[in-house]
Amino acid sequence: MEKNFEVTIEPTSNSNIVKFEANYFLTQHTSHEFENIDHAKNSPLAQQLFYLPFVKKVFIAQNFVAIEKYNIVEWIDIQDEVAKQIEKYLNSGQEVIIEEQEKKAKKVPVSIYAESTPNPSVMKFVANKKLVVAGHEFKSIDDTSESPLAQALFHFPFVKEVYIDENYISINKYEVADWNEVTMELREFIRNYLEEGKEVLTANATISKKEIEKKEDTNFENLDETSKDIISIIDEYIKPAVANDGGNILFDSYNPESKVVKVILQGACSGCPSSTFTLKNGIENMLKEMLRDKVSHVEAVNG
């Protein structure tokens, strides 16, 4: 499948530096920093960017290009045009880094640490690299045709389910194995897999941020006002906490007559013994408090 690159603009803590994130990897776990056009001989993209008079430095890594500018301009005035230029270049099919040079480049070490979750059957493996731009859940090996990494993980006989989101992988295991016995093995497998530059998702499975946002905006606008309020509360207050536990929560539906909210739990939250407690004492109480008499209770459609 031919890749259709899309670039989004991400500010950084340094006002002179902006990241331009792509929906596909640009390098295979290598990074490159260029201080001027001479240094950029092995990157046609970086060389092209240095023709812009305000470009001071170019940094290319994984799925983004970061540019540091001189003070002669403000990013707000130029960032859209720069994003379009990078997107056009990527879709032209030209090399980002000359392949021979990338092979010689030093691999960026990938670190993975394991983190327990409220679900004793699920362990969260966190990477120092971004893995995907949206959450993907795999209930069995039959679901993994578009994720080589998830498919590889299911070859471990004790792996029951896999959930991949942002920079972490949540693995749900069968009771036959003990985390004390298999955590190190999984951690090393994931680290080696990523350092070798293998695909997390295939091109077919890669969803761009623009596509996600467009779909969500369309669905959101068709909802009633209470449903919109519920989604806003979930996104702002609940999702970050759930993500920290290696899971995800999605709004399913709201019935204005029964005042029942239905949600979908993913990752570590799915099948978790404490998920009922979380729903009742966390999510349900928060929605009741913030929306008063509009919500009676919350149910998980897969819980």
Side-chain angles (χ1 to χ4, degrees):
M1 177 180 171
E2 185 179 346
K3 293 180 179 179
N4 178 31
F5 281 96
E6 292 185 348
V7 173
T8 54
I9 300 164
E10 298 291 337
T12 71
S13 56
N14 185 331
S15 60
N16 283 328
I17 299 176
V18 164
K19 284 170 63 177
F20 298 88
E21 289 193 359
N23 54 327
Y24 295 95
F25 279 178
L26 308 180
T27 70
Q28 293 300 319
H29 299 290
T30 59
S31 61
H32 308 261
E33 185 173 358
F34 307 104
E35 295 188 357
N36 55 53
I37 197 167
D38 285 339
H39 290 168
K41 289 177 182 177
N42 67 321
S43 174
L45 172 57
Q47 281 194 323
Q48 180 174 306
L49 291 170
F50 275 114
Y51 279 100
L52 301 171
F54 53 81
V55 171
K56 183 178 181 181
K57 287 183 182 179
V58 176
F59 184 81
I60 300 176
Q62 259 194 303
N63 71 321
F64 68 85
V65 178
I67 298 176
E68 181 178 356
K69 69 170 182 64
Y70 288 104
N71 293 326
I72 57 171
V73 292
E74 296 298 327
W75 274 121
I76 192 66
D77 299 322
I78 56 173
Q79 59 187 19
D80 290 337
E81 283 303 313
V82 174
K84 287 178 185 176
Q85 182 173 329
I86 294 172
E87 193 173 278
K88 183 179 179 182
Y89 180 93
L90 295 175
N91 284 313
S92 71
Q94 299 178 70
E95 287 183 300
V96 175
I97 303 293
I98 296 172
E99 192 174 344
E100 276 299 308
Q101 297 296 327
E102 179 156 20
K103 285 179 181 177
K104 293 176 184 177
K106 184 180 178 182
K107 273 190 177 180
V108 177
V110 176
S111 65
I112 303 288
Y113 70 86
E115 190 177 279
S116 59
T117 74
N119 188 340
S121 295
V122 177
M123 186 71 73
K124 180 180 177 183
F125 296 86
V126 185
N128 63 334
K129 302 292 177 187
K130 190 166 189 174
L131 305 177
V132 294
V133 297
H136 296 262
E137 187 173 41
F138 308 95
K139 291 288 190 180
S140 74
I141 197 167
D142 287 341
D143 300 333
T144 63
S145 60
E146 296 179 342
S147 176
L149 174 54
Q151 193 169 89
L153 288 168
F154 274 107
H155 282 88
F156 289 94
F158 51 81
V159 171
K160 183 179 180 182
E161 296 176 6
V162 176
Y163 178 74
I164 305 175
D165 200 354
E166 290 287 334
N167 69 324
Y168 69 86
I169 302 163
S170 289
I171 297 178
N172 192 337
K173 68 169 181 63
Y174 288 104
E175 292 181 6
V176 67
D178 187 281
W179 280 123
N180 291 327
E181 298 169 355
V182 299
T183 297
M184 182 67 73
E185 182 182 8
L186 281 171
R187 189 166 68 85
E188 287 304 300
F189 175 82
I190 294 169
R191 184 180 65 81
N192 290 332
Y193 185 99
L194 296 175
E195 282 193 337
E196 288 172 12
K198 295 178 181 178
E199 283 186 316
V200 175
L201 300 173
T202 64
N204 291 333
T206 303
I207 308 171
S208 74
K209 281 186 179 179
K210 287 182 182 178
E211 288 173 329
I212 296 166
E213 289 168 359
K214 185 177 179 181
K215 183 179 179 181
E216 287 181 346
D217 288 345
T218 301
N219 295 339
F220 188 81
E221 289 307 315
N222 293 329
L223 295 173
D224 60 88
E225 289 305 313
T226 302
S227 293
K228 290 179 181 179
D229 290 338
I230 292 167
I231 290 174
S232 297
I233 293 168
I234 288 174
D235 286 348
E236 186 173 353
Y237 297 102
I238 301 169
K239 272 197 177 187
V242 170
N244 283 337
D245 289 337
N248 189 31
I249 181 170
L250 302 172
F251 172 80
D252 180 74
S253 63
Y254 169 70
N255 187 323
E257 294 181 5
S258 64
K259 300 179 183 179
V260 173
V261 178
K262 292 187 177 181
V263 296
I264 299 169
L265 300 176
Q266 295 180 316
C269 299
S270 180
C272 177
S274 63
S275 61
T276 302
F277 178 84
T278 302
L279 281 173
K280 297 299 175 186
N281 293 278
I283 301 166
E284 185 173 290
N285 285 350
M286 181 177 289
L287 290 175
K288 281 182 177 179
E289 183 179 337
M290 298 182 79
L291 297 175
R292 301 293 178 181
D293 58 348
K294 293 180 181 178
V295 173
S296 62
H297 66 278
V298 179
E299 297 176 1
V301 297
N302 59 335

